[in-house]
Amino acid sequence: MIFHPAHEISQKIKKGKLSPREVVEESIRWAQKLEEKIHSFITLDPEKALERAKKIEEKISRGEETGPLAGIPVAVKDNICTRGIETTCGSKILKGFIPPYNATVVEKLEKAGAIIIGKTNCDEFAMGSSTENSAFFKTFNPWDLERVPGGSSGGSATSVASYQVFLSLGSDTGGSVRQPASFCGIYGLKPTYGRVSRFGLVAFASSLDQIGTFARNVKDLALITEAISGHDPRDSTSLPEEVPPYFDELQDSPRALRIGVPWGLLQEGISAEVKEAFEDALKIFERLGFPILEVSLPHASYGIPTYYLIAPAEASANLARYDGIRFGLREIGEGDLISLYKKTRGEGFGAEVKRRIMLGTFALSLGYREAFYLKAQKVRTLIRKDFEEAFNKVGLIALPTSPTLPFKLGEKVMDPLQMYMSDLYTIPISLAGLPAISIPVGLKNGLPVGMQIVGPPLSESLILKASHVFEMESGLSDLRPPILEEIGV
Ligand code: GLN
């Protein structure tokens, strides 16, 4: 059952040919079996999931409408609020925090009939590229347990890649859905900024944060993206445009648009394996009738320094609310208020989060604001304009997702700059607020390689269609990491 696509399983469930309880039980059994090897979940909640399955079963037997994700087990990153289920953001400071409300995306998932079986591990407050910054434990890449799954949504990516759940949600501020999707051999979409409501997503860098989706094939990805998209009056940056039927539109073949490749950006730091896989993928697109040409994004190479001023600046403001009074952890200290703040924040935050708070506070401080933060905002505008110009020439842009293959655990965690470079190709797109998908384009040394397809604002449908024709031609969906056989599915 677990190897079937979600859109087929939900059809069977709706027709009463399959019981949602059976599907959820199998998913939980499988998750519990893999959990010791991969560590995708901070919280698994079998009881609530089974209760939900029962309710959906009853609804179906009464002939009521159950939604497109009826009975599908899904996982949600632990920085997305779930009513009654602990939400930690991978941080000690939020240990024990049980949100009194659901994020809009959680409401929407439930309305679509999905069943949340647990909350997934991530880098603390989504700051990182390997999930090693989780305060609790590391998550392992199902393709090679000695390697990182990418991050920060490593738990969500691995839970889908190792078939524990069919679909999951992550968040992407600078690459945290696309890069782990690439490292785990699955599909990951970061929608246009504003397409998906951020209400109930714990804020990291509010002008960049966007909830994204993971699946093992494009149809399933379209299904879950459609389910969570749309305007939400509770998020002031949410876009009012109607959501097209992404899933149904996959039936129409995409116009053979020109695909632009920013070769200038791909000169530095790219590994030979990634380059080869990327070039082979471009050949497939060419064969499918998409002409490939070069585009230039002259300011994109400033993406990393720009992002590491803007994101920490916003994070330093957003994280000020964790003061030991309002949420989670409280360390009393010496009995006065200042010492309570200091002790709580000192003990509650990990090293990377502290680094970002300090960087951000500095970048915003009097006398430096113009030199750093405001300058970064100007460069951000230039990067966005580069993309606008490129999209006058081409319909889509393609580039690798990560410059390297999944790296070894421990390899970069002591060297923040090295870690930051992982997002060389994802960050410029985030700064421009554009939608982008990471799709698997093959294996190198037994490890997955991903490629990004980027489009203009609100071109999700187009991106999904282009990915779908590639998927059909390459056969690169529902990839099975070797661990499944080792464990004996
Ligand atoms: N890796 C980047 C960072 O550490 C992006 C993280 C994200 O997208 N949440 O900030």
Side-chain angles (χ1 to χ4, degrees):
M1 194 151 39
I2 57 169
F3 290 121
H4 289 270
H7 62 274
E8 285 177 22
I9 294 281
S10 71
Q11 283 307 321
K12 287 202 176 124
I13 290 177
K14 280 178 162 188
K15 288 185 188 136
K17 289 189 188 147
L18 202 58
S19 124
R21 193 177 24 82
E22 266 175 74
V23 179
V24 168
E25 273 169 3
E26 178 153 341
S27 165
I28 290 169
R29 202 177 322 122
W30 191 228
Q32 282 167 342
K33 202 164 172 184
L34 273 167
E35 210 26 37
E36 317 151 21
K37 300 264 180 200
I38 296 184
H39 297 303
S40 301
F41 287 94
I42 294 179
T43 307
L44 261 178
D45 198 339
E47 267 164 47
K48 271 212 185 65
L50 286 167
E51 244 168 64
R52 277 269 301 152
K54 200 167 151 231
K55 286 217 174 96
I56 289 176
E57 203 158 327
E58 286 164 5
K59 253 182 148 181
I60 291 171
S61 62
R62 286 198 301 267
E64 286 171 28
E65 182 43 47
T66 38
L69 295 173
I72 299 297
V74 301
V76 172
K77 187 176 180 177
D78 211 23
N79 62 350
I80 296 176
C81 288
T82 38
R83 183 172 49 227
I85 308 177
E86 190 182 38
T87 298
T88 67
C89 296
S91 180
K92 270 202 286 192
I93 212 157
L94 278 176
K95 190 88 194 96
F97 169 61
I98 298 181
Y101 68 97
N102 276 328
T104 298
V105 289
V106 170
E107 275 178 5
K108 281 181 174 271
L109 277 183
E110 296 201 332
K111 195 159 163 251
I115 298 174
I116 295 170
I117 71 159
K119 304 292 298 287
T120 57
N121 197 24
C122 55
D123 286 301
E124 186 173 3
F125 286 102
M127 297 174 189
S129 305
S130 67
T131 314
E132 290 166 293
N133 293 339
S134 164
F136 306 122
F137 44 80
K138 295 179 182 41
T139 298
F140 305 107
N141 191 318
W143 291 87
D144 177 349
L145 299 179
E146 287 177 11
R147 290 177 191 269
V148 303
S152 61
S153 314
S156 290
T158 52
S159 67
V160 170
S162 61
Y163 291 74
Q164 303 178 52
V165 288
F166 292 86
L167 303 161
S168 65
L169 297 185
S171 66
D172 189 315
T173 303
S176 280
V177 165
R178 291 161 283 161
Q179 187 253 20
S182 162
F183 277 15
C184 293
I186 59 174
Y187 292 81
L189 178 72
K190 179 199 93 76
T192 310
Y193 181 78
R195 178 71 299 184
V196 175
S197 168
R198 290 181 295 111
F199 178 78
L201 167 68
V202 177
F204 159 15
S206 312
S207 77
L208 294 152
D209 296 341
Q210 188 59 191
I211 291 173
T213 46
F214 292 100
R216 293 183 295 257
N217 59 72
V218 177
K219 279 191 170 172
D220 285 356
L221 194 70
L223 203 62
I224 185 169
T225 308
E226 191 176 323
I228 64 160
S229 295
H231 180 249
D232 180 7
R234 292 179 295 187
D235 170 1
S236 61
T237 59
S238 160
L239 296 169
E241 282 81 356
E242 281 292 306
V243 180
Y246 299 139
F247 182 80
D248 289 342
E249 286 187 359
L250 288 180
Q251 286 170 1
D252 322 331
S253 47
R255 283 174 296 131
L257 297 158
R258 283 190 285 223
I259 296 182
V261 179
W263 287 112
L265 184 65
L266 308 184
Q267 297 310 313
E268 254 175 81
I270 188 168
S271 78
E273 292 88 357
V274 170
K275 189 151 185 258
E276 198 183 312
F278 176 63
E279 287 173 346
D280 288 346
L282 291 178
K283 285 185 200 135
I284 295 186
F285 271 114
E286 249 177 339
R287 203 159 68 221
L288 287 164
F290 293 81
I292 310 288
L293 52 138
E294 181 164 3
V295 286
S296 101
L297 301 171
H299 301 93
S301 57
Y302 300 110
I304 299 223
T306 306
Y307 173 91
Y308 278 99
L309 287 167
I310 294 174
E314 293 181 16
S316 70
N318 276 327
L319 270 53
R321 74 191 68 173
Y322 307 107
D323 54 5
I325 305 290
R326 288 172 283 188
F327 304 93
L329 184 76
R330 176 176 304 158
E331 294 289 341
I332 299 294
E334 280 141 41
D336 61 298
L337 192 59
I338 298 296
S339 126
L340 182 148
Y341 291 160
K342 281 188 179 164
K343 189 113 172 88
T344 304
R345 289 169 70 82
E347 306 215 333
F349 289 135
E352 182 60 28
V353 174
K354 286 180 186 158
R355 174 159 36 240
R356 306 263 180 129
I357 292 173
M358 286 191 279
L359 266 172
T361 309
F362 181 73
L364 289 175
S365 59
L366 196 66
Y368 293 103
R369 203 180 131 84
E370 280 75 16
F372 294 121
Y373 181 68
L374 293 180
K375 193 171 214 169
Q377 293 290 18
K378 289 180 185 163
V379 180
R380 181 175 188 176
T381 302
L382 294 174
I383 293 174
R384 203 182 53 233
K385 285 191 173 150
D386 282 355
F387 279 101
E388 272 168 24
E389 253 173 55
F391 285 125
N392 288 331
K393 286 209 323 209
V394 296
L396 295 166
I397 290 175
L399 67 170
T401 308
S402 158
T404 66
L405 293 173
F407 45 90
K408 287 249 167 84
L409 285 145
E411 194 181 314
K412 300 192 179 175
V413 77
M414 298 312 285
D415 185 349
L417 285 181
Q418 269 287 323
M419 190 70 92
Y420 296 171
M421 291 308 281
S422 294
D423 301 310
L424 190 59
Y425 304 149
T426 50
I427 274 177
I429 298 154
S430 302
L431 289 167
L434 300 171
I437 192 173
S438 176
I439 64 175
V441 293
L443 298 178
K444 290 283 170 196
N445 310 340
L447 299 167
V449 182
M451 160 175 158
Q452 286 181 98
I453 303 175
V454 191
L458 293 176
S459 63
E460 284 79 1
S461 182
L462 177 65
I463 290 174
L464 287 162
K465 277 193 260 184
S467 305
H468 190 48
V469 288
F470 179 90
E471 175 190 30
M472 294 292 110
E473 179 73 13
S474 67
L476 289 167
S477 45
D478 302 298
L479 300 178
R480 295 189 193 181
I483 187 157
L484 300 185
E485 240 174 76
E486 279 160 33
I487 247 179
V489 193

